[in-house]
Amino acid sequence: MQILGVDIGGSGIKGAIVDTLTGQLVSERHRIETPQPATPEAVAGVLAQLVLHFNWTGPIGCGFPAAIQHGMVRTAANISKAFIGTNIDKLFSEATNCECHNLNDADAAGIAEMHFGEGAGQVGVVLLITIGTGLGTALFTDGNLLPNTELGHLYLENGLEAERYASDAARKLQDLGWKSWGSRFNIYLSAMEKLFWPDLIILGGGASKKFDKFKEQIAIKTTVKSAAFLNQAGIVGAALYAKSKVV
Ligand code: BGC
């Protein structure tokens, strides 16, 4: 089945048509700048543009950077607070005239990795962490997702919120080298290890591509791998999620 997968981020809204059987993109990826301010209506408008670009009439899956409970946005750490309480399944379906299913962006990336990437066939507990503007998490046990874990907002023993201390945005903002940022990230990983005892941790998002530059700073027992998908995981996972929801 083909589904339009979309990854909604703070700076760009990216989409592509996905073959859900293979996890491959069957179109070019198309990116539109996230409107500023990124109000629900403005984002819905960009989604409608994407749909027009692909001349799309089928189902859509969207990864969105917030906790999404049955289509309802519950949090807004790095997006417009106006989203809180918005039913984006409804808003985006009406704006595009297509059946649109939304989920947390890290959950979407995790679903793609569990199906076709580093998590495929992995039993036990897998934690995927996306390292970008925020720290997104997706937690699986025997391949089943526990949705909306917001573990980037955990407070570390140093009293700081993990996302403010060890995200890629924190690295850029404080102009940290990969080694000093890697030591910070290791503190976060070690907290995750102590709390969840995962069998595997997969790193996704922009910074995961630089894993070589900070992997020497990672000193936890759990196996840590960088994601197999580079920047397509969110798109592919969102499409797989929508497939599971299509009636
Ligand atoms: C949000 C999460 C999201 C993550 C990555 C965090 O700030 O709270 O919902 O998954 O950023 O975008």
Side-chain angles (χ1 to χ4, degrees), residues 5-244:
V6 179
D7 187 10
I8 299 181
S11 57
I13 299 182
K14 299 135 280 185
I17 299 169
V18 178
D19 178 342
T20 55
L21 216 59
T22 60
Q24 299 292 314
L25 303 194
V26 294
S27 75
E28 290 288 312
R29 189 166 157 274
H30 187 66
R31 180 184 191 277
I32 302 178
E33 292 285 306
T34 304
Q36 300 302 338
T39 59
E41 290 67 31
V43 171
V46 169
L47 206 56
Q49 279 178 49
L50 262 186
V51 164
L52 212 63
H53 169 85
F54 288 106
N55 209 3
W56 189 249
T57 53
I60 305 175
C62 278
F64 193 85
I68 311 287
Q69 197 177 27
H70 312 299
M72 190 73 87
V73 179
R74 296 300 189 190
T75 62
N78 294 307
I79 51 160
S80 160
K81 304 283 178 242
F83 269 105
I84 294 184
T86 304
N87 185 328
I88 52 172
D89 277 4
K90 186 165 179 281
L91 177 71
F92 294 170
S93 297
E94 283 170 5
T96 58
N97 243 335
C98 296
E99 180 179 343
C100 186
H101 298 280
N102 296 274
L103 79 164
N104 171 261
D105 56 354
D107 286 350
I111 289 173
E113 280 298 319
M114 294 306 287
H115 271 81
F116 299 113
E118 289 297 344
Q122 174 74 45
V123 290
V125 175
V126 178
L127 176 66
L128 174 121
I129 304 171
T130 61
I131 315 163
T133 308
L135 279 182
T137 55
L139 189 62
F140 295 83
T141 174
D142 290 339
N144 297 307
L145 172 70
L146 172 67
N148 291 319
T149 53
E150 287 282 324
L151 301 172
H153 298 292
L154 185 101
Y155 279 78
L156 300 168
E157 277 174 17
N158 59 18
L160 300 173
E161 189 186 19
E163 181 166 294
R164 302 211 175 274
Y165 182 65
S167 63
D168 202 35
R171 181 186 65 80
K172 289 179 181 155
L173 204 71
Q174 296 174 43
D175 204 15
L176 300 172
W178 284 106
K179 286 196 186 348
S180 42
W181 176 82
S183 306
R184 285 186 176 203
F185 191 65
N186 185 55
I187 293 177
Y188 176 59
L189 288 184
S190 142
M192 291 294 102
E193 183 177 66
K194 276 188 214 149
L195 291 171
F196 298 101
W197 296 104
D199 295 290
L200 171 66
I201 295 180
I202 304 174
L203 305 182
S208 68
K209 291 175 225 158
K210 305 283 184 201
F211 191 36
D212 275 353
K213 295 191 192 278
F214 64 87
K215 72 173 174 213
E216 274 165 31
Q217 274 63 51
I218 306 304
I220 59 169
K221 290 184 202 73
T222 315
T223 306
V224 180
K225 293 183 178 170
S226 71
F229 280 94
L230 294 171
N231 44 19
Q232 296 168 7
I235 292 176
V236 173
L240 294 177
Y241 174 75
K243 180 180 172 240
S244 74

